[in-house]
Amino acid sequence: MTLKDQIDRNNLPSHVAVIMDGNGRWARQKGKHRIFGHKSGVTSVREVTEAAAELGLRYLTLYAFSTENWNRPKEEIEALMSLLVTSLSGETKTLMENNIRLMAIGDLQNLPGKVYKKLQASIDKTADNTGTRLVLAISYSSRWEIADAAKKIAAAAVKGDIKVDDINTEMLSEYLNSGKIPDPDFLIRTSGEYRVSNFLLWQIAYSELYFTDTLWPDFRKDDFFKAILDYQHRERRFGKISEQLGSEK
Ligand code: IPE
Ligand code: IPE
Ligand code: MG
């Protein structure tokens, strides 16, 4: 039986988020430039996106570029930005074929104009697709997102649109850039690093975490299916005890 066949379709995570890490090390191991690793990582993005669509997952969020990644060498940033443009041009067809709707979170105003335009064009083109939503986190960091939400909530309070007493966890979730996107059920990080690097800190409060040594450019559909199978062996208690869960299922 294939790994995919072993997956219980009645116990799928509705939102999977992925920290795609290890491109540079993968390239270095091959004696190549880091940028070769980024280019090779595009295949993994396609594989995971297709795998998510095949399973019918509602949301797949991919961490593509962090706020802190702006501090990388200029040439690497430029290479990553042009890779974004070429991938968006090339892969929008794959999104259409798989009925995938593209979305983005992050400080998009910070992106070079050309990248922003391409991104917006793909978002618009796929807007009516009803399958998996692919959310790209670009120029994203969780602390930026939370500070941005705080600013918007304060402005709304000053304007009198909301009362300070009405501010609660639900409202904060809604004011985040991830807005109506449900919290991830499952977070995958590749490359053997055990950290979350400023990704969805608020939203992963009760996410199941999965770490693998596989470097991102080596990550394939079966690696994704293996991770989902691992998820299906977890018991999510949300603070309760095991005995309380059965009746709610
Ligand atoms: C992930 O790979 C891609 C981005 C962060 C843009 P890295 O570029 O971080 O690769 P490593 O972690 O240095 O190997
Ligand atoms: C996290 O990877 C960001 C992305 C995958 C886009 P990094 O490589 O930037 O994270 P750190 O610096 O190792 O924590
Ligand atoms: Mg890294």
Side-chain angles (χ1 to χ4, degrees):
M1 198 151 72
T2 65
L3 282 168
K4 189 179 165 188
D5 290 339
Q6 290 170 48
I7 293 171
D8 174 2
R9 302 302 178 107
N10 295 315
N11 182 25
L12 289 171
S14 102
H15 182 179
V16 176
V18 185
I19 302 175
M20 313 184 285
D21 197 18
N23 294 351
R25 277 163 285 163
W26 183 87
R28 284 292 182 221
Q29 281 175 10
K30 295 183 153 38
K32 300 265 176 65
H33 197 281
R34 292 178 54 85
I35 291 165
F36 177 66
H38 296 315
K39 288 185 178 154
S40 304
V42 176
T43 305
S44 309
V45 171
R46 190 184 312 123
E47 287 258 323
V48 166
T49 304
E50 283 178 0
E54 283 170 27
L55 292 178
L57 303 189
R58 294 309 295 152
Y59 291 90
L60 173 71
T61 298
L62 301 178
Y63 201 7
F65 193 86
S66 73
T67 304
E68 289 77 19
N69 288 151
W70 289 114
N71 298 318
R72 290 195 179 191
K74 192 167 162 275
E75 312 77 68
E76 182 163 340
I77 296 174
E78 280 170 6
L80 282 164
M81 290 300 142
S82 71
L83 192 58
L84 261 170
V85 173
T86 51
S87 311
L88 285 165
S89 305
E91 301 297 331
T92 303
K93 193 166 161 269
T94 316
L95 301 181
M96 294 307 288
E97 281 164 9
N98 291 282
N99 192 25
I100 296 165
R101 177 174 170 191
L102 185 70
M103 300 169 76
I105 54 170
D107 192 1
L108 305 182
Q109 307 305 323
N110 247 339
L111 293 171
K114 201 172 167 195
V115 180
Y116 181 80
K117 266 195 212 140
K118 271 275 172 228
L119 182 63
Q120 202 52 55
S122 298
I123 289 172
D124 292 344
K125 180 136 201 250
T126 61
D128 293 331
N129 289 349
T130 54
T132 302
R133 277 123 173 95
L134 171 64
V135 185
L136 290 184
I138 309 178
S139 189
Y140 173 89
S141 75
S142 200
R143 287 185 173 182
W144 162 79
E145 185 187 37
I146 292 168
D148 185 63
K151 219 185 285 177
K152 287 177 177 147
I153 289 172
V158 168
K159 224 176 130 205
D161 290 346
I162 58 168
K163 292 205 255 345
V164 170
D165 268 352
D166 292 340
I167 300 171
N168 55 21
T169 56
E170 286 78 21
M171 186 187 283
L172 211 138
S173 290
E174 280 170 24
Y175 271 84
L176 291 175
N177 196 208
S178 60
K180 302 243 173 330
I181 299 170
D183 292 343
D185 302 292
F186 194 40
L187 173 68
I188 298 171
R189 182 170 190 150
T190 59
S191 90
E193 306 292 359
Y194 295 87
R195 55 177 175 264
V196 285
S197 305
N198 217 347
F199 189 45
L200 304 175
L201 302 179
W202 173 275
Q203 297 90 330
I204 61 171
Y206 270 103
S207 304
E208 295 297 326
L209 309 182
Y210 180 89
F211 299 95
T212 170
D213 287 338
T214 304
L215 300 173
W216 180 250
D218 285 329
F219 202 82
R220 290 290 171 269
K221 283 185 186 177
D222 267 354
D223 297 289
F224 188 75
F225 295 143
K226 199 173 141 211
I228 301 291
L229 282 166
D230 192 287
Y231 168 85
Q232 296 193 322
H233 289 106
R234 315 275 182 100
E235 181 180 67
R236 304 185 72 193
R237 290 191 286 278
F238 298 98
K240 297 181 178 171
I241 63 168
S242 280
E243 288 73 10
Q244 292 176 288
L245 301 176
S247 56
E248 293 167 10
K249 269 188 183 159

